[in-house]
Amino acid sequence: SIDNPSNSSTAVDIWTNGSGVALSAINKGTTGMAGDFMIHDPNNTSDILQVKGGHLGRALHAYLWNPNNGGEALAGSTQGSGTAIFGLNAGTGHAGGFKIDNSSNGSSALSVETNGSGNAIDASTTGEGWIANFTTSTGNGLFISVPTDKAGLNVIGGSKNAVVATTDGARL
């Protein structure tokens, strides 16, 4: 540890020039974490942990191998006004991706929920592409379920209107 506020040196530096792991922390007990990182000063604007790589693999891989574990492999939370989990791709790939690779899994690949007054999903684009693309080769299309006194679909603008089936017949 370094107890000098004017020090800008790294407190611990670990590296290897071999093929082994540079740092491994394992907790073999029934409670407790294997690692804990914290910034204590509320005025510090630095990242708590930065993972960098100039290689071809992932920067971070969170993996749970216990099939009885119902916890999240990766969780983010904030009590401030910032986004809990944010993805940015400055290259040519997706900023986020979700996939279920188990044909017996009946869960949604993405679940979005709010108990606030805002939208559950906001999507926008400033590019030339569609704002959303829903594609299926074997399943159904889009399902919308709302209370009877609420709007199920509202299309404003564009070159085509939407025809929606209602209990009173099809509506534009």
Side-chain angles (χ1 to χ4, degrees), residues 2-13:
I2 299 172
D3 192 11
N4 178 356
S6 63
N7 180 51
S8 63
S9 297
T10 301
V12 177
D13 193 8

Side-chain angles (χ1 to χ4, degrees), residues 45-129:
T45 60
S46 300
D47 295 335
I48 291 176
L49 179 64
Q50 188 178 65
V51 180
K52 297 188 272 188
H55 64 305
L56 298 176
R58 293 181 179 98
L60 178 65
H61 183 143
Y63 179 70
L64 299 173
W65 67 85
N66 183 343
N68 298 316
N69 186 341
E72 296 84 8
L74 179 63
S77 64
T78 179
Q79 292 183 13
S81 60
T83 302
I85 296 176
F86 175 75
L88 171 68
N89 182 341
T92 59
H94 297 284
F98 301 89
K99 178 180 181 177
I100 292 176
D101 193 16
N102 178 350
S103 61
S104 299
N105 186 338
S107 298
S108 300
L110 177 63
S111 175
V112 181
E113 180 180 337
T114 180
N115 67 357
S117 59
N119 298 330
I121 296 177
D122 278 329
S124 64
T125 180
T126 57
E128 293 295 321

Side-chain angles (χ1 to χ4, degrees), residues 5-39:
S6 63
N7 180 51
S8 63
S9 297
T10 301
V12 177
D13 193 8
I14 300 171
W15 63 275
T16 180
N17 195 19
S19 61
V21 175
L23 174 65
S24 177
I26 299 173
N27 179 346
K28 293 188 177 186
T30 58
T31 62
M33 297 181 291
D36 187 16
F37 300 88
M38 175 179 29
I39 293 176

